[in-house]
């Protein structure tokens, strides 16, 4: 089966498909259908303030794209190593798995701090709510926890790995114009045709943000998708000058591209964070087991693991276990 593209991964993370639409799809399990609920009912809201739970059997949710599968597999192995029974449930998107996390049908999910903070804020205050996430991780985590706690969710400490928007140019282009950062590109006053998704024209962290924060002259957005092969090929052959991808994209070097540093922190702090159902998995034992990954897993590590699955066609569970053994976490 073909694995999701980077663009598909970002669409899942952004929650672009509504629960109502997904509930009409064929083959959904009872779990997914009940996952369309809004979380604990009023009579069960005591779960929100209950003491942290320590259930022996825990279900880890995966959003179904490579990186989420890898993180879920690593969480499962670490929890089993700590004495828990753990299984993995693949649930297509956030509209489904987040309510299931609130209700305790799913106990643990790998999330992204800034993306999840803005998603919970929109769920709480409406789709038109202003973004609350920040490039500063501490500020983002504080806001995220304030939104998650009333829903019975505990956000564990973030790790070193970050998956956020990233911009790459041809290595030859970077050498010719002495570019290492996005600020360098802005100062160069070069016309830049950007390969990205068509939504980049309006997204504040894409074309408008590049113009506002860095003064980059974006002359056009070439709608080839986020981090797709055609998008990277367009930069490789000089049709476009820059591509929007993600910080854990391990294939940029294969196309002769290099990342430009986001030195003014345009992108928000999308560090990987475990989120747990407090009533079932809020114990210190769970936090300690999952926390082992925080000190070792880097953004580059995550990119390399993605590559092993997407390019080398290895199974996520094998890649995850091999990594944990290599880092002596088992």
């Amino acid at each position: 089966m073909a694995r999701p593209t980077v663009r598909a991964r970002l669409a899942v993370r952004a929650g672009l498909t509504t629960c109502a639409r997904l509930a009409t799809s064929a083959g959904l399990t009872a779990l997914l259908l009940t996952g369309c609920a809004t979380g604990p009912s009023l009579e069960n809201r005591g779960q929100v303030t209950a003491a942290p739970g320590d259930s022996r059997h825990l279900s880890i949710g995966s959003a179904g794209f490579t990186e989420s599968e890898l993180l879920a597999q690593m969480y499962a192995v670490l929890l089993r190593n700590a004495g828990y029974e753990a299984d993995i449930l693949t649930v297509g998107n956030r509209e489904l798995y987040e309510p299931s996390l609130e209700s305790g049908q799913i106990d643990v999910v790998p999330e992204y701090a800034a993306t999840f903070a803005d998603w919970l804020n929109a769920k709480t205050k409406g789709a038109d709510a202003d973004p609350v996430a920040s490039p500063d991780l501490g500020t983002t985590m504080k806001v995220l926890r304030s939104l998650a706690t009333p829903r019975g969710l505990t956000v564990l400490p973030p790790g070193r790995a970050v998956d956020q928007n990233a911009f790459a140019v041809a290595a030859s282009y970077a050498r010719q114009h002495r570019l290492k950062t996005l600020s360098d590109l802005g100062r160069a006053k070069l016309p830049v045709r950007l390969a990205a998704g068509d939504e980049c024209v309006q997204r504040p962290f894409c074309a408008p943000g590049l113009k506002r924060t860095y003064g980059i002259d974006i002359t056009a957005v070439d709608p080839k998708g986020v981090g797709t092969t055609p998008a990277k090929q367009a930069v490789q052959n000089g049709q476009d000058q820059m591509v929007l991808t993600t910080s854990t994209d391990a294939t940029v070097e294969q196309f002769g591209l290099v990342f430009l540093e986001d030195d003014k922190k345009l992108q928000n702090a999308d560090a990987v964070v475990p989120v747990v159902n407090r009533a079932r998995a809020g114990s210190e034992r769970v936090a300690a087991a999952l926390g082992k990954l925080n000190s070792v897993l880097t953004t580059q590590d995550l990119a390399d693991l993605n590559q092993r699955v997407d390019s080398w066609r290895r199974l996520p569970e094998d890649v995850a276990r091999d990594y944990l053994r290599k880092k002596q976490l088992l």
Side-chain angles (χ1 to χ4, degrees), residues 12 38 57-58 97 105 131 136 139 143 150 167 191-192 203-204 220 228 233 251 259 268 292 304-305 310 313 321:
V12 170
T38 57
H57 186 105
L58 299 175
Y97 72 67
Q105 294 168 308
D136 179 73
T139 300
V143 172
F167 298 91
V192 175
R203 293 287 172 86
T228 63
Q233 287 175 334
T251 68
F259 287 116
N268 283 335
K292 290 181 178 181
D304 292 342
L305 297 178
D310 288 332
R313 297 303 184 188
R321 185 173 291 277

Side-chain angles (χ1 to χ4, degrees), residues 21 37 40 63 84 89 104 111 113 155 162 166 171 174 182 205 211 220-221 229 319:
R21 285 174 58 195
Y84 293 92
L89 297 173
E111 262 294 355
V155 182
V162 177
L182 289 171
F205 304 116
K211 292 177 181 179
V221 172
T229 293
V319 173

Side-chain angles (χ1 to χ4, degrees), residues 32-299:
L32 300 190
L33 290 173
T34 55
C36 290
T38 57
S41 61
L42 289 176
E43 61 268 24
N44 293 326
R45 279 290 176 179
Q47 296 177 23
V48 171
T49 55
D54 193 27
S55 300
R56 180 176 177 180
H57 186 105
L58 299 175
S59 293
I60 298 106
S62 163
F65 57 88
T66 297
E67 189 167 292
S68 184
E69 291 175 6
L70 283 164
L71 290 166
Q73 290 289 348
M74 286 189 280
Y75 289 2
V77 173
L78 289 170
L79 288 169
R80 289 171 191 147
N81 198 52
Y84 293 92
E85 296 177 17
D87 58 45
I88 295 175
L89 297 173
T90 300
V91 185
N93 77 12
R94 193 173 283 112
E95 278 84 358
L96 293 174
Y97 72 67
E98 191 278 333
S100 296
L101 182 63
E102 288 189 33
S103 65
Q105 294 168 308
I106 293 174
D107 304 304
V108 184
V109 294
E111 262 294 355
Y112 301 88
T115 299
F116 197 40
D118 283 334
W119 192 89
L120 285 180
N121 188 55
K123 181 175 180 178
T124 302
K125 298 181 180 179
D128 295 331
D130 291 334
V132 294
S134 161
D136 179 73
L137 181 58
T139 300
T140 297
M141 289 297 296
K142 183 177 180 180
V143 172
L144 173 56
R145 285 176 168 141
S146 72
L147 291 163
T149 299
R151 295 181 175 276
L153 307 179
T154 296
V155 182
L156 299 181
R160 299 163 61 191
V162 177
D163 187 351
Q164 61 193 28
N165 287 346
F167 298 91
V169 299
S172 57
Y173 182 83
R175 287 193 299 270
Q176 178 184 357
H177 300 288
R178 299 181 181 180
L179 307 177
K180 292 185 177 180
T181 68
L182 289 171
S183 288
D184 291 339
L185 183 56
R187 284 190 293 268
K189 302 299 181 184
L190 297 166
V192 175
R193 183 176 164 93
L194 176 62
D198 52 11
E199 68 279 2
C200 178
V201 174
Q202 297 179 320
R203 293 287 172 86
F205 304 116
C206 200
L210 292 171
K211 292 177 181 179
R212 182 185 64 254
T213 302
Y214 290 106
I216 297 173
D217 181 17
I218 304 295
T219 59
V221 172
D222 186 5
K224 284 185 163 56
V226 179
T228 63
T229 293
K232 284 179 274 199
Q233 287 175 334
V235 177
Q236 183 183 38
N237 64 30
Q239 176 184 342
D240 299 332
Q241 286 71 52
M242 187 161 67
V243 61
L244 168 63
T245 182
T246 66
S247 57
T248 57
D249 183 346
T251 68
V252 291
E253 290 186 3
Q254 297 174 20
F255 294 88
L257 310 182
V258 293
F259 287 116
L260 294 183
E261 180 188 351
D262 179 19
D263 53 307
K264 292 185 178 178
K265 308 299 182 186
L266 170 62
Q267 305 303 320
N268 283 335
D270 244 343
V272 174
V273 291
V275 182
V276 304
N277 178 289
R278 174 183 170 88
R280 288 184 49 80
S283 70
E284 291 185 4
R285 286 181 63 215
V286 170
L290 298 178
K292 290 181 178 181
L293 198 58
N294 285 358
S295 61
V296 298
L297 184 67
T298 66
T299 301

